[in-house]
Amino acid sequence: MTKYLSKGKFDRMEKLTNDKGVIDALALDQRGSLVKAMKKASEDYGKLFSMKMVYDFKEAVTGVLSPHTSAVLLDEEMGFKGIKAKDPKTGLIMSYEKTGYDANEEGRLPSLIPEQSAQIMVENGADALKVLIYYNPNDKDEINDQKKAFAERFGTEALAAQVPTFFEIVTYDDKYASDSAEFAKEKPQLVLESMKEFTQDKYHIDVLKMEVPFNPSYIKEWNPDRDDGVYTEAEAEKYLVELGAAATRPFIFLSAGVPTDVFQKELKLAGDAHVPFSGVLSGRATWLESVDIYIRDGKDALIDWLNHKGTRNVNGFTEILNQTATPWFEAYGGMDNIQVIDIDNLN
């Protein structure tokens, strides 16, 4: 079946990918979690925290690392200096959702930044828009129906603005802690069912940003010292294969805050299983170690870390993606199966 894309969307997808058609992107849109980490580090090292630290950190990380990536994900709220520091050849993905959720309200419901719109963000330089939702396919219909409607509104608005959509899904179950063995047992089903839902055409999602469908801390072979392993490596690989088979559009993996070597191991496992993922949006796995260095030793030490360890982290992911990832257009049967429509010239 032919895939139709507006010229605006197609051109922006090309801007977001490397010369192999792979999304090799850096995530730096963390807001509440980054502020929390910096406040803790400031307390630990006897420093006085200010929001300027957050703004300057995003500026430095983006300035040094964006030339090594195909795209960078930033927010205008705290990442405005980072947006200006981005390499002009690197694509810009902008966050459209408010950070976090109202813990006093059932369902972890998402909401958009009220002063933003798809068109405004395009005018401000966005090559793609991203939203995050917390999703449990087993939640009550009155909760999930709101999230499905949210996804449809997001996709339809971006369709009109001719800007690609990145849709990030973080699964949860309020009965269990996210790092518990109980949740680890549920996670494969939650991630797979989420893929099956939001890969549907009606949402107009261009790129799904997915968790790996397991918790790597509970793979028995990877963690031989613990006695509560949940899955074997072969089972984890099977879950990855099922996830890839369910996708009807490009999808990428998020790092979910795991250490760099663990995320690289996950990507290699997906590659070994020939899972057709189209890249990564790697966040904390790339730069989290530098937060303490920045707070403790200052900006010069941060820049030095970024030029050495941070750059190695990024290039390490690029090397793995060159061996494992699938071009985004292969999700539609190849570039020859995509028909680009110049909507601006339609009467």
Side-chain angles (χ1 to χ4, degrees), residues 118-148:
Q119 193 60 49
I120 289 172
M121 285 188 280
V122 168
E123 290 169 358
N124 289 343
D127 300 301
L129 309 182
K130 165 258 172 185
V131 298
L132 178 153
I133 68 160
Y134 294 92
Y135 190 70
N136 180 344
N138 304 317
D139 266 345
K140 295 181 291 189
D141 286 347
E142 51 261 42
I143 291 173
N144 283 343
D145 285 349
Q146 293 183 64
K147 295 177 181 180
K148 293 171 186 177

Coordinates of all heavy atoms in Angstrom, one line a residue, residues 118-148:
A118 N 1.1 23.6 17.2 CA 2.0 23.0 16.2 C 2.5 24.1 15.3 O 3.7 24.1 15.0 CB 1.2 22.0 15.4
Q119 N 1.7 25.0 14.9 CA 2.1 26.0 13.9 C 3.1 27.0 14.6 O 4.1 27.4 13.9 CB 0.9 26.8 13.4 CG 1.2 27.7 12.2 CD 1.8 26.9 11.0 OE1 1.2 25.9 10.6 NE2 2.9 27.3 10.4
I120 N 2.9 27.3 15.8 CA 3.8 28.2 16.5 C 5.2 27.6 16.6 O 6.2 28.2 16.4 CB 3.3 28.6 17.9 CG1 2.1 29.6 17.8 CG2 4.4 29.2 18.8 CD1 1.4 29.8 19.1
M121 N 5.2 26.3 17.0 CA 6.5 25.6 17.1 C 7.2 25.4 15.8 O 8.5 25.6 15.7 CB 6.3 24.3 17.8 CG 6.1 24.5 19.3 SD 6.0 23.0 20.3 CE 4.4 22.4 19.9
V122 N 6.5 25.2 14.7 CA 7.1 25.2 13.4 C 7.7 26.5 13.0 O 8.8 26.6 12.5 CB 6.0 24.7 12.3 CG1 6.6 25.0 10.9 CG2 5.7 23.3 12.5
E123 N 7.0 27.6 13.3 CA 7.5 28.9 13.1 C 8.7 29.2 13.9 O 9.6 30.0 13.5 CB 6.4 30.0 13.3 CG 5.3 29.9 12.3 CD 4.1 30.7 12.7 OE1 4.1 31.3 13.8 OE2 3.1 30.8 11.9
N124 N 8.8 28.6 15.1 CA 10.0 28.7 15.9 C 11.1 27.8 15.6 O 12.1 27.7 16.4 CB 9.6 28.6 17.4 CG 8.8 29.8 17.9 OD1 8.8 30.8 17.2 ND2 8.1 29.6 19.0
G125 N 11.0 27.0 14.5 CA 12.1 26.2 14.0 C 12.0 24.7 14.2 O 12.9 24.0 13.9
A126 N 10.8 24.3 14.7 CA 10.7 22.8 15.0 C 10.6 22.0 13.7 O 9.9 22.4 12.8 CB 9.4 22.6 15.8
D127 N 11.4 20.9 13.6 CA 11.3 20.0 12.5 C 10.4 18.8 12.8 O 10.0 18.0 12.0 CB 12.6 19.5 12.1 CG 13.6 20.6 11.7 OD1 13.3 21.3 10.7 OD2 14.6 20.7 12.4
A128 N 10.0 18.7 14.1 CA 9.1 17.6 14.6 C 8.6 18.1 16.0 O 9.2 18.9 16.7 CB 9.8 16.3 14.7
L129 N 7.4 17.5 16.3 CA 6.9 17.7 17.7 C 6.8 16.4 18.4 O 6.5 15.3 17.8 CB 5.5 18.3 17.5 CG 5.3 19.5 16.6 CD1 3.8 20.0 16.7 CD2 6.2 20.6 17.1
K130 N 7.0 16.5 19.7 CA 7.0 15.2 20.5 C 6.0 15.4 21.7 O 6.0 16.5 22.3 CB 8.4 14.9 21.0 CG 8.4 13.9 22.1 CD 8.7 14.6 23.4 CE 8.6 13.7 24.6 NZ 8.8 14.4 25.9
V131 N 5.2 14.4 22.0 CA 4.5 14.4 23.2 C 4.8 13.0 23.9 O 5.1 12.1 23.3 CB 3.0 14.5 23.1 CG1 2.6 15.9 22.5 CG2 2.4 13.4 22.3
L132 N 4.6 13.1 25.2 CA 4.8 11.8 26.1 C 3.5 11.6 26.7 O 2.8 12.5 27.3 CB 5.9 12.1 27.1 CG 6.2 10.9 28.1 CD1 7.6 11.0 28.6 CD2 5.3 11.0 29.3
I133 N 3.1 10.3 26.7 CA 1.9 9.9 27.6 C 2.3 8.7 28.4 O 3.2 7.9 28.0 CB 0.7 9.5 26.8 CG1 0.9 8.3 26.0 CG2 0.2 10.7 25.9 CD1 -0.5 7.6 25.6
Y134 N 1.8 8.7 29.6 CA 1.9 7.5 30.5 C 0.7 6.6 30.1 O -0.5 7.1 30.1 CB 1.9 7.9 31.9 CG 3.1 8.7 32.4 CD1 3.1 10.0 32.3 CD2 4.3 8.0 32.8 CE1 4.3 10.8 32.7 CE2 5.4 8.7 33.1 CZ 5.4 10.1 33.1 OH 6.5 10.8 33.4
Y135 N 0.9 5.4 29.8 CA -0.2 4.5 29.3 C -0.1 3.2 29.9 O 0.9 2.5 30.0 CB -0.1 4.5 27.8 CG -1.3 3.8 27.1 CD1 -2.5 4.5 27.1 CD2 -1.2 2.6 26.5 CE1 -3.6 4.0 26.5 CE2 -2.4 2.0 25.9 CZ -3.6 2.7 25.9 OH -4.7 2.2 25.4
N136 N -1.3 2.7 30.4 CA -1.5 1.4 30.8 C -2.7 0.8 30.0 O -3.9 1.3 30.3 CB -1.8 1.3 32.3 CG -2.0 -0.1 32.8 OD1 -2.3 -1.0 32.0 ND2 -1.9 -0.3 34.1
P137 N -2.6 -0.1 29.1 CA -3.7 -0.5 28.3 C -4.8 -1.2 29.1 O -5.9 -1.4 28.6 CB -3.1 -1.5 27.3 CG -1.7 -1.9 27.9 CD -1.3 -0.7 28.7
N138 N -4.5 -1.6 30.4 CA -5.4 -2.2 31.2 C -6.2 -1.2 32.1 O -7.0 -1.7 32.9 CB -4.7 -3.3 32.1 CG -4.0 -4.3 31.3 OD1 -4.4 -4.8 30.3 ND2 -2.8 -4.6 31.7
D139 N -5.9 0.1 32.0 CA -6.7 1.1 32.8 C -8.1 1.1 32.3 O -8.5 0.6 31.3 CB -6.0 2.5 32.6 CG -5.0 2.8 33.6 OD1 -5.0 2.1 34.7 OD2 -4.2 3.8 33.4
K140 N -8.9 1.8 33.1 CA -10.3 2.0 32.8 C -10.5 2.7 31.5 O -9.7 3.6 31.2 CB -11.0 2.7 34.0 CG -11.0 2.0 35.3 CD -11.8 2.8 36.4 CE -11.0 4.0 36.8 NZ -11.6 4.7 38.0
D141 N -11.6 2.4 30.8 CA -11.9 3.1 29.5 C -12.0 4.6 29.6 O -11.5 5.3 28.7 CB -13.2 2.5 28.9 CG -13.0 1.1 28.4 OD1 -11.9 0.6 28.2 OD2 -14.1 0.5 28.1
E142 N -12.5 5.1 30.7 CA -12.7 6.5 30.9 C -11.4 7.2 31.0 O -11.3 8.4 30.7 CB -13.6 6.9 32.1 CG -13.2 6.3 33.4 CD -14.0 5.0 33.7 OE1 -14.3 4.2 32.8 OE2 -14.4 4.9 34.9
I143 N -10.3 6.5 31.4 CA -9.0 7.1 31.4 C -8.3 7.0 30.0 O -7.8 8.0 29.4 CB -8.1 6.4 32.5 CG1 -8.6 6.8 33.9 CG2 -6.6 6.8 32.3 CD1 -7.9 6.0 35.0
N144 N -8.3 5.8 29.5 CA -7.6 5.5 28.2 C -8.3 6.2 27.0 O -7.7 6.6 26.0 CB -7.4 4.1 28.0 CG -6.3 3.5 28.8 OD1 -5.5 4.2 29.3 ND2 -6.3 2.2 28.9
D145 N -9.6 6.4 27.1 CA -10.3 7.1 26.0 C -9.8 8.5 25.9 O -9.7 9.1 24.8 CB -11.8 7.1 26.2 CG -12.4 5.7 25.9 OD1 -11.7 4.9 25.3 OD2 -13.6 5.5 26.3
Q146 N -9.5 9.2 27.1 CA -9.0 10.5 27.1 C -7.6 10.6 26.4 O -7.3 11.5 25.7 CB -8.9 11.1 28.5 CG -10.3 11.3 29.2 CD -10.1 11.9 30.5 OE1 -9.6 13.0 30.7 NE2 -10.5 11.1 31.6
K147 N -6.8 9.6 26.7 CA -5.5 9.5 26.1 C -5.5 9.2 24.6 O -4.7 9.8 23.8 CB -4.6 8.5 26.9 CG -4.4 8.8 28.3 CD -3.6 7.8 29.1 CE -3.5 8.2 30.5 NZ -2.7 7.3 31.4
K148 N -6.4 8.4 24.2 CA -6.6 8.2 22.7 C -7.0 9.4 22.0 O -6.5 9.7 20.9 CB -7.5 7.0 22.5 CG -7.0 5.7 23.0 CD -8.0 4.6 23.0 CE -7.5 3.3 23.6 NZ -8.6 2.2 23.7

